[in-house]
Amino acid sequence: MLKVSGLHQYYGGSHILRGLDFEARLGEVTVVLGRNGVGKTTLLKSLMGVVPIRSGAVTLDGVDISKDTSYDRVRKGMGYVPQGREIFGRLTVEENLRMGLASRPARTPIPAELFELFPILKQFMHRRGGDLSGGQQQQLAIARALAPGPKLLILDEPTEGIQPSIIKDIGRVIRMLADRGDMAIVLVEQFYDFAAELADQYLVMERGEIIQRGRGGDMEAEGVRGLMSI
Amino acid sequence: MTSSLDLTPRRGLLLGPKGWAAVMAAAITVTVLAPLLNLVVPEGHAFHLSDYAVALIGKIMCYAICALAMDLIWGYTGILSLGHGLFFALGGYGMGMYLMRQIGRDGNYKSDLPDFMVFLDWKELPWAWTFSDSFLFQMAMVVLVPGLLALVFGFFAFRSRIKGVYFSIITQAMTFAAMLLFFRNETGFGGNNGFTDFKRILGVPIALPETRMMLFVLTGLTLIGFYLMARWIVHSKFGRVLQAIRDAESRVMFTGYDPLAYKLAIWTLSAVMCAVAGALYVPQVGIINPGEMSAAASIEIAIWAAVGGRATLIGPILGAFFVNGAKSWFTQVFPEFWLYFLGALFIAVTLFLPQGIVGLFDKFSSKKKETRA
Amino acid sequence: MALLAPVAHALTPDQAAAIAIGDTDSRIAALNKSAADADPELAPFVRALLDGEVKTADGKVYVVQGDKTAPDTAEDVINNNRMRGALEAALGALKLVSPDAKVRAEAVEELRKQSLDEAQLPLIEKAWAAESDAGLKSRLALMRATILVSSSDVAKRLAAAQALSASSEPAVKSLLQERLAPGVETDPAVRGALMTALDAVEGRLAWGERLGVLFTGASLGSILLLVALGLAITYGLMGVINMAHGELMMIGAYATFVVQNLFRQYLPGAFDWYIVLAIPVSFLVSALVGAALERSVIRWLYGRPLETLLATWGISLVLMQGVRSLFGAQNVAVENPAWLSGGVQVMSNLILPYNRLAIIAFAFLVLAGVTLMINRTRLGLFVRGVTQNRRMAACVGIPTARIDTYAFSLGAGIAGLAGCALSQVGNVGPDLGQGYIVDAFMVVVTGGVGQLAGTVYAALGLGVLNKFLEGFAGAVLAKIMVLVCIVIFIQKRPQGLFAMKGRSAEA
Amino acid sequence: ADTIKVGILHSLSGTMAISETVLKDVALMTIDEINAKGGVLGKKLEPVVVDPASNWPLFAEKAKQLIDQDKVAVTFGCWTSVSRKSVLPVFEEKNSLLFYPVQYEGEELSKNVFYTGAAPNQQAIPAVEYLMSKDGGSAKRFVLLGTDYVYPRTTNKILRAFLKSKGIPESDIMEEYTPFGHSDYQSIIAKIKKFSSEGKKTAVVSTINGDSNVPFYKELGNQGLKATDVPVVAFSVGEEELRGVDTKPLVGHLAAWNYFMSIKNPTNAAFIKQWSDYAKAKNIAGHKDKPLTNDPMEATYIGIKMWAQAVEKAKSTDTDKVIAAMAGQTVKAPGGFTSTMDKENHHLHKPVFIGEIKADGQFNVVWKTPGPVVADPWSDYIAENKGKKNVPEKK
Amino acid sequence: MTPDLMESMREVRERHEARTQQAGASGGDASFGRLLQAGQPDFTQGVALYLDDITVSFDGFRALNKLSLAINVGELRCIIGPNGAGKTTMMDVITGKTRPDAGRASFGSTIDLLRLRENDIAQIGIGRKFQKPTVYEQLSVFENLELALKADRRARASLFHRLSGEQLDRIGEILQLIHLKGEAQRTAGLLSHGQKQWLEIGMLLMQDPKLLLLDEPVAGMTDEETERTAELFLSLEGQHSLVVVEHDMKFVDQLTEGRKKVTVLHEGSVLAEGRLSEVQANEKVVEVYLGR
Ligand SMILES: Nc1ncnc2c1ncn2[C@@H]1O[C@H](COP(=O)(O)OP(=O)(O)OP(=O)(O)O)[C@@H](O)[C@H]1O
Ligand SMILES: Nc1ncnc2c1ncn2[C@@H]1O[C@H](COP(=O)(O)OP(=O)(O)OP(=O)(O)O)[C@@H](O)[C@H]1O
Ligand SMILES: NC(N)=O
Ligand SMILES: [Mg+2]
Ligand SMILES: [Mg+2]
């Protein structure tokens, strides 16, 4: 599904991503782990085209998308939950969700499942996104990315600030989406237990490099928890 | 905790040795070189500095002071003032009133009153003019009137937490209102004409080359002095609080600083700097009128600062010289097309030099370093 | 040479010459003499005189109409205001007895504007007696009364004074005041009637004035609204401190000018409808210029509002000078179509000019359009989303670059519409925009940045406030007061009239 | 040098560009004409054009530049009185010459300036006299409406005194000012209507300057204030200003000038033709399609020609010699008379015309002085001027 | 947690304690500024923060509904509750950002918080970390900390302020603690999310407030960092009062050490209070918050 090879990224002079190679497959959750500042968010931004990549290739279904704009990538089936929520503060909840449907034809209805997953969104349909609490905003951000039904879903620390019960729900949803087999999921997560539970495949990053990778089931055994400490 | 000292940035020094050398060079240029070239070197000689050039540079130095003042409030504190033209003009009017009185009975109507009052039927000096024949009093007014206005205006505005464009717009409204007020002849400051036809300052004929040179030198030294003061301020913790206010005012408050006091202090100081510039400007240019309070005049000050490079102090000074120099030159060489060039210049600077002219220097010097490394 | 042959059935060439040549006194005498015969054949000649179609050469009079010409040496007959007044009066008098009620109504209207004196009494009485239309008759009665109120007959004076209380003419008010001046009217009964009449007339006039203030305020407000609407998009929504907004308006106005000229040249018959085409053209031209600006300059400056100030300032200089090079530094003439000239007389002291009415309506149409477009369409949603968070908008699949261009062009296009409207009331020149840019920003900011509703209230509020203050403080002081009000108002509402509240305001 | 430099100091940008740009062009045309005939003192004239951009302090700076840097022999320039006042000290200090081509308020007489426009008695006073005459409509009440600056203020002060001397009571005079660039005349016209409806015949004397005239006249037309009811006489509205206005509703309103384009005489026909050809040849925007001439253009034209003659007479461009030679110079003016430079007072003797606006934007001359009028810069209607001689002070 | 880190943390704590004692001995905390002298909070009653019947509504929606809460001096209190329960709003009320519609809030037993402006509240010793990290983006990490440093906040004082060696050391310590020593001269805006989070905690420590309000301090941190943070907070307990809002139950567990009180907010008021294990067993809490 998604294939990254030889990806390098810089901010100004500093080398942030140093030659990443990995693949995210349909029906699988690929978890990216790593401490603060190792470049996880930068990686996802590069995948989304938010920052243009310096060198390397990103292909989606075999098509090179590394020169595409963000919105083209979305049209090709990518969905993104950024770190820091980035909801549209002055749009209502409903409008935020409609924005999420931008890549679909006009009049596509907002999928009803979203409201089952995040009931608060239905209740606050006409409240402005910016007025929501932090966790509510995070829920909205996830719902927005799910709305158009992407083929590749990219999540940057989606559980941040969310109450335990909903984290569990989100976990269930991610699992279900992956199991349906028509979606690939890339999940950046610091919350080890959550990550470990969902991972089909895991990557550990350190200073812009992937220092370890493996199957999700082997995480504990391979001492990933230890890699996350200093 | 051994190595904490190397964490401190290199500051504490007001200027490096190179910086001091540059300041000294600038000081010598205005106090020695310019007078020499203008007064001693004979006209026609290749190195002669013409009266026109003296007047032009003198004027631009006044503008540079304004740009510097703008940098303190805008570049460092993030408050875009569109009212600096007003402070400049008020300073100018303060000086202008004194100069009008210095004309004495040499005006058209041989009256004790300034000419415009005579033909507009004023029978006696309006109250605001009571002490205008005293140089010291008027100089105090140059500082006090704009200073107090800024203080009061700023106090209310900052207390109400007016920020961003809202602040810009009310400063503009204030300036615009003042302009309309001064345009009115009833206001008693010469209406649209303002003040012109000055004859003397402190009893000395104002047109004498020596007088002009004195004013020039004074302006130059004021500019240098203000620059050093501004540098000292922005390098103090006070200066960093200002920048913090610019970046995240609420965070500053939640850390226990009262932004009101900081903003008010820098705002008032900035206004007074402009006023002093205005006072220096008027005797050199020979006219002050409400045009200085137009919206465009204030915006231009911001433009000098932006073109030079914000939050750099030296940038706005360079910007003032660059823009005004370019304007003078363009109007002369391409009187019909100069606006194209000036407009294109502004566009180009924003597109290609986001850090302003100073950014260009930085780019060069960092490139040099890179190639050397 | 058809020497007046078709005109002068009853008008001998000598009579015509006496009316056309000589000093004003003698010409008026000759005119009145001919008019006294009430010969309807005089009318075409008078009309021709008024239209400047009469020439003289060597004491002979030529009417130059259609294919009729005069010798090369002929000179125009010059009518000064006094002569023109007399000609109009004569024409009016002639029309007053016309069999056509519409013509008579026009004549009455013309008479109303003149100060009447005893000399006209017989004419008016005659017309009044003959008038069959009730409305016209009562108006003639009022005119008659204005003359009779100074009659020497007390009864007539009393009747006239009573009749006059139905009037709403300012002239009647001063007439009544004159009559009431000490020593003029001595009869107590008549004085009483005069007093009652004066009260009634003054009351009506006061209403006219009040409505007048409201109307002029609304009219100024609608102009401010039009001027600010485009800015509410480019600045309010997109955050571009667009100093070139005024110049985009100017471009719209010049587009109107060009369309007008094309009509004049190629479609003179449809000239009155040039404005219908000018509206879309001015929108398109400004929008295109806006699109070009967005693509070339603004694009690189999103998220750096202060840089946009600098760049758009530069753009405004270039655009202004561009127009100066293209069209000259002088103003150009944009004519109101005939149907936008003049106004409806609502009260004797309240005329609502058509062009201002049209602009008010137009402003609200544009407002409605913009509101619908921003709040109800998908494009509008995208525009709002993109302008809030450009990067994230791209990450939900919105072609932000295109949306930005659309949004900026829309703002620019609306500026063009404003320019088109302004061309109907003010100057069209290279500086057109400069005069409005400050006001535009004031309105947008006072209303609350990004708040369309705020813009509307601010525009109308400032317009009416300004006109209300102008009533007693004069234009300059009123403007100063309005500005001071804005400063004070912002103290109370630091985020404008329609402030964004709560957390989303910080986002 | 083998050329003589002359400065041209008119705003080519900013608010005054509307009026001033064309003066620059007409100056260049006149210089071309003189050069075509061999120049002055055998040398060609070399114009130095600068743009003071409607900014008064910049006028002073540019004047300095012209004199100091370019060493011009004479400068033709300025429109508003403010700009003139701003450059005046420069010309006096450097003892250089300025030719000022626009009607103004008087109250000034500098030895370094030649005023080729009208003083108040050559424009304002005759115009008001006309309004009071029977042909002018026997006005008894006056609205003095102007832009708020020195020229209208002073002119109105003089007019007030004049009206008073004619027995018009204060209560019959309404004075009203608007700022430069004012664009909304709804209220003011409503006020005028009210004032005029209060009885006697009313006339408006307009000293509105610049851009504001267009909205003023448009509103006048819309509110149906016709010339036969309330005539407006303007002192700063000429052919060029009316270019931007639909004049059909304005027919009959008046302007007072010393020249109108519509004046018929061979000199004027030649002048207009020369200008039309020049505008076409130089592709001057606006004028190439619809050439117009006006009073300040004529005054510029006369000024330059007169200066050239004076230089020939003085055989030098030296300021003092030229000043001396200027006295009594004559030029056959397009206005139809021979314009003479007064022997002493630096003003031209000028005829006064009053014109009514025609539907095509031109003026019908409805009244004129029998011959040129001598300027009275220190108007006698201003008390302080009693006893002042119309002679510049010698320095 | 590595031993040397523990070590350095203890050092920090001890040195700091020594310093505050010293200051106390030398007659009052002069550097605290005028407000403190005027209205010293009174902690003799043992209460650091007291909220009584606080109600906040936004356009009719009650974010806080008669919320009452008391935090003791030196107490570390964890507050949990569903998204939108009103936790952040509560902090907004305490720090003066939001004015409640009704209720009382006092610092110590004397100071009425509802009368003070934000900066005064900060001055008397209430510090806050926001849910969304806020730092001075254009200043360096070092300068961010410097500005937070406890010192005279008045304008004139900062104009003449110079860092003492001691203060410099303290900044160094904190930099070490928040793992940003290598980034000291970097512009704060360029830090990653988690780094900003740390920087903000560092700033709070520099400020040395009596009451720390921490809104989701470990969001975006690794488990290991979370533990470290817990250690850090525990080390502050006693000297300072802390209010910590978190959704991470492991973190809360560590902080409460199995015995401290946890408050559960729901729909703007207190739903339950008690030890973590107790509230975790509460049916209602499980339903609205923890989930099954
Ligand atoms: N715009 C930027 N310019 C320069 N450096 C940046 C920029 N954004 C991030 N960095 C740096 O790049 C590095 C990687 O940042 P990134 O945000 O990808 O980290 P992360 O792994 O997502 O961390 P976290 O877990 O804290 O979110 C960090 O050292 C950060 O300081
Ligand atoms: N300005 C506002 N307008 C409308 N509703 C608001 C506003 N501010 C907050 N709210 C609502 O108030 C409630 C409380 O919000 P608050 O941020 O305090 O929750 P929280 O407990 O901090 O949640 P989280 O755990 O998600 O951060 C939320 O439902 C939120 O939507
Ligand atoms: N002299 C003038 N018109 O200002
Ligand atoms: Mg990250
Ligand atoms: Mg919260």
Side-chain angles (χ1 to χ4, degrees), chain D residues 246-313:
Chain D
D246 173 14
T247 40
K248 278 181 219 90
L250 303 182
V251 167
H253 288 302
L254 305 142
W257 288 107
N258 311 103
Y259 166 87
F260 283 112
M261 186 178 173
S262 61
I263 290 174
K264 295 225 164 41
N265 65 61
T267 323
N268 193 26
F271 178 62
I272 293 170
K273 172 148 190 346
Q274 187 184 358
W275 171 245
S276 314
D277 293 347
Y278 184 82
K280 275 203 191 73
K282 297 281 160 167
N283 210 12
I284 295 170
H287 287 270
K288 63 173 186 261
D289 305 319
K290 186 181 171 193
L292 290 179
T293 56
N294 67 11
D295 178 291
M297 284 166 79
E298 188 220 30
T300 301
Y301 181 75
I302 296 174
I304 299 180
K305 293 196 117 178
M306 224 171 232
W307 171 79
Q309 291 172 13
V311 171
E312 292 286 5
K313 181 175 170 203

Side-chain angles (χ1 to χ4, degrees), chain B residues 231-280:
Chain B
R231 204 170 157 88
W232 175 65
I233 290 174
V234 300
H235 280 231
S236 71
K237 185 175 165 195
F238 183 96
R240 282 187 293 287
V241 174
L242 295 181
Q243 283 167 274
I245 290 174
R246 179 189 66 194
D247 292 353
E249 182 165 349
S250 67
R251 181 78 229 176
V252 173
M253 279 186 324
F254 290 116
T255 318
Y257 294 95
D258 182 4
L260 173 63
Y262 285 83
K263 291 203 266 187
L264 200 52
I266 199 70
W267 163 250
T268 309
L269 175 72
S270 175
V272 168
M273 283 168 70
C274 265
V276 171
L280 289 166

Side-chain angles (χ1 to χ4, degrees), chain C residues 255-397:
Chain C
T256 308
F257 167 70
V258 170
V259 170
Q260 171 208 249
N261 284 359
L262 290 178
F263 264 73
R264 185 171 287 151
Q265 204 165 345
Y266 299 109
L267 286 171
F271 181 79
D272 271 349
W273 301 102
Y274 81 84
I275 195 82
V276 176
L277 184 67
I279 290 172
V281 169
S282 59
F283 179 89
L284 279 178
V285 172
S286 291
L288 280 177
V289 174
L293 293 179
E294 202 276 339
R295 289 263 149 168
S296 57
V297 179
I298 312 288
R299 153 127 330 171
W300 315 104
L301 304 175
Y302 290 119
R304 288 153 58 197
L306 296 167
E307 264 93 338
T308 59
L309 169 103
L310 182 59
T312 52
W313 181 262
I315 291 172
S316 82
L317 296 184
V318 171
L319 290 180
M320 248 191 302
Q321 192 63 15
V323 164
R324 246 181 231 130
S325 309
L326 224 62
F327 294 94
Q330 320 81 356
N331 290 332
V332 295
V334 176
E335 259 176 57
N336 293 348
W339 55 278
L340 280 181
S341 314
V344 312
Q345 178 115 29
V346 180
M347 290 187 182
S348 63
N349 60 346
L350 179 62
I351 293 187
L352 307 186
Y354 290 124
N355 60 358
R356 298 219 169 245
L357 285 170
I359 288 175
I360 294 178
F362 184 60
F364 281 90
L365 276 178
V366 174
L367 172 69
V370 171
T371 314
L372 276 182
M373 133 98 227
I374 293 293
N375 292 334
R376 293 270 183 276
T377 67
R378 195 160 140 105
L379 180 63
L381 173 67
F382 289 176
V383 167
R384 283 179 293 144
V386 169
T387 51
Q388 273 175 56
N389 189 339
R390 198 158 274 104
R391 213 179 33 191
M392 195 56 220
C395 288
V396 295

Side-chain angles (χ1 to χ4, degrees), chain B residues 43 50-53 55-56 59 63 106-110 117-123 180 183-186 190-194 196-199 207-208 212 281 284-289 291-292 327-329 331-332 335-336 338-339, chain D residues 12-14 21 24-25 28 49-53 55-58 60-62 64-66 68-71 81-82 85-86 88-89 92-94 105 107-109 148-151 153-154 157 177 179-180 378 382 384-385 388 393 395:
Chain B
E43 211 171 319
S50 72
D51 288 354
Y52 162 70
L56 181 64
K59 181 181 94 168
Y63 288 157
D106 288 351
N108 267 335
Y109 298 105
K110 314 287 170 232
M117 291 192 190
V118 178
F119 62 72
L120 290 172
D121 265 349
W122 295 79
K123 296 297 172 227
L180 292 175
F183 265 134
R184 282 164 52 88
N185 282 277
E186 288 94 338
N192 194 305
N193 268 46
T196 46
D197 211 8
F198 308 131
K199 306 245 191 276
L208 280 185
R212 298 194 163 281
Y281 170 89
Q284 297 187 77
V285 173
I287 176 172
I288 176 77
N289 81 330
E292 306 296 340
K327 217 167 157 181
S328 270
W329 188 68
T331 46
Q332 192 171 330
E336 316 218 22
W338 68 278
L339 277 171
Chain D
L12 309 178
S13 56
T21 310
K24 174 216 62 174
D25 289 316
L28 291 179
V49 180
V50 290
D51 178 14
N55 174 328
W56 320 142
L58 208 54
E61 184 188 316
K62 291 287 158 195
K64 273 193 201 119
Q65 181 205 319
L66 286 173
D68 265 8
Q69 199 132 305
D70 296 311
K71 313 254 181 274
S81 294
V82 196
K85 296 253 185 223
S86 159
L88 193 61
E92 288 183 346
E93 180 195 328
K94 314 260 176 197
E105 67 281 3
E107 305 301 297
E108 181 185 300
L109 202 44
D148 196 359
Y149 77 108
V150 64
Y151 162 67
R153 287 265 179 185
T154 314
K157 179 179 174 187
Y177 294 95
F180 260 108
W378 300 111
I382 289 191
E384 289 80 3
N385 290 343
K388 266 201 165 164
E393 263 176 73
K395 287 263 154 81

Side-chain angles (χ1 to χ4, degrees), chain B residues 1 3-5 7-8 11 161 236-238 240 244 246-247 251-258 262, chain E residues 95 118-119 122-123 128 130 134 138 143 146-147 153-155 158-159 168-169 173 185 200 207:
Chain B
M1 301 297 122
S3 57
S4 53
L5 269 178
L7 294 171
T8 38
R11 67 171 117 77
R161 305 223 172 134
S236 71
K237 185 175 165 195
F238 183 96
R240 282 187 293 287
R246 179 189 66 194
D247 292 353
R251 181 78 229 176
V252 173
M253 279 186 324
F254 290 116
T255 318
Y257 294 95
D258 182 4
Y262 285 83
Chain E
T95 52
E118 294 95 318
N119 53 304
Q123 272 283 28
R128 171 174 189 187
F130 288 87
T134 44
Q138 313 253 341
E143 289 168 330
E146 182 201 0
L147 287 186
R153 300 300 203 213
R154 281 172 294 182
S158 10
L159 201 49
L168 218 51
D169 284 349
E173 286 162 23
Q185 295 311 325
E200 205 184 359
Q207 206 179 322

